[in-house]
Amino acid sequence: MISRESFAGWYRNRFVWVAVILLVVSVGAVVLLNRADPASEPADLQGQITARMRTTLEQADPGQHNHAGHGAQQAAAAEVKPQVICGVRVYGYEPAEVTALADVRTVYGFHLCGVAEQKRPWDVAVKLAGPVIMDMSTDPPGIQVVEATADVRFVDRLREMFPDKYEELALREALTESEMADQRRRYDAAAGM
């Protein structure tokens, strides 16, 4: 049996309370770190898709996401090839229920890329822009841009290529203000501005 005096001594001992507090804090930290929060996974996946899309477009030859015959000026053989700086916006991806980047097959979005030739300001830089579809099932990912033809208007071509749920976004949405600001900062640095 525990006597009243031994219980009171244990109750007053500071070291026991420090141990109890540390144990409670440790258990709380483990619970918070291991808590599965499904709402945070799509945002992380969205960020991974955005980064992969941007990297793919910046590493691709500008001709792969070229529009309306606009291309970067050909540099002389001795010159360094100008860097392509892209801003992207992901409208969605398929299959929509996946939670890992490796499971994403198709990405629908928008891209605005500038060819960062040295000392060429953004306002006069060669730009490549528009709705884009990326086939993530290939390595490197396939890039398909929406372009009008002599027989098909841009809007009609977009409606052919994009799923219904992304059509309206693709017709009216481009880059967010923060993505545009980040792209301009990266462009200016690459162009030596």
Side-chain angles (χ1 to χ4, degrees):
M1 223 188 229
I2 299 176
S3 71
R4 223 179 167 120
E5 291 85 24
S6 67
F7 179 73
W10 176 84
Y11 183 74
R12 291 184 193 140
N13 190 337
R14 282 184 263 179
F15 296 113
V16 171
W17 284 109
V18 169
V20 168
I21 291 171
L22 287 174
L23 180 64
V24 169
V25 169
S26 298
V27 169
V30 168
V31 168
L32 287 175
L33 289 175
N34 290 332
R35 184 178 71 177
D37 187 6
S40 67
E41 284 183 328
D44 184 46
L45 180 58
Q46 184 85 4
Q48 291 175 20
I49 293 170
T50 299
R52 177 76 188 273
M53 189 174 174
R54 180 183 300 119
T55 301
T56 299
L57 289 166
E58 288 180 348
Q59 292 175 351
D61 180 80
Q64 289 181 285
H65 50 100
N66 204 354
H67 290 272
H70 297 289
Q73 296 175 359
Q74 296 298 320
E79 292 182 32
V80 176
K81 185 177 173 183
Q83 190 175 358
V84 177
I85 305 297
C86 295
V88 298
R89 175 146 182 217
V90 176
Y91 296 143
Y93 52 88
E94 292 179 353
E97 65 278 353
V98 299
T99 58
L101 181 61
D103 297 330
V104 174
R105 295 288 157 239
T106 307
V107 176
Y108 300 93
F110 178 85
H111 77 299
L112 171 59
C113 300
V115 179
E117 296 172 290
Q118 286 299 302
K119 304 299 179 195
R120 182 175 288 244
W122 171 259
D123 294 338
V124 294
V126 173
K127 296 178 188 77
L128 313 162
V132 65
I133 301 170
M134 293 190 75
D135 179 3
M136 304 292 275
S137 65
T138 63
D139 189 28
I143 301 168
Q144 189 177 16
V145 296
V146 177
E147 288 189 297
T149 65
D151 301 325
V152 181
R153 295 180 319 150
F154 175 82
V155 173
D156 296 332
R157 184 72 176 129
L158 184 135
R159 292 187 193 282
E160 288 174 8
M161 295 173 66
F162 273 65
D164 294 342
K165 60 185 173 182
Y166 305 127
E167 284 177 1
E168 290 306 314
L169 274 174
L171 287 171
R172 60 183 162 79
E173 297 288 333
L175 297 182
T176 63
E177 287 183 34
S178 63
E179 180 69 29
M180 188 66 199
D182 179 58
Q183 180 189 20
R184 288 291 300 269
R185 180 190 52 74
R186 292 184 313 115
Y187 177 89
D188 289 345
M193 301 300 288

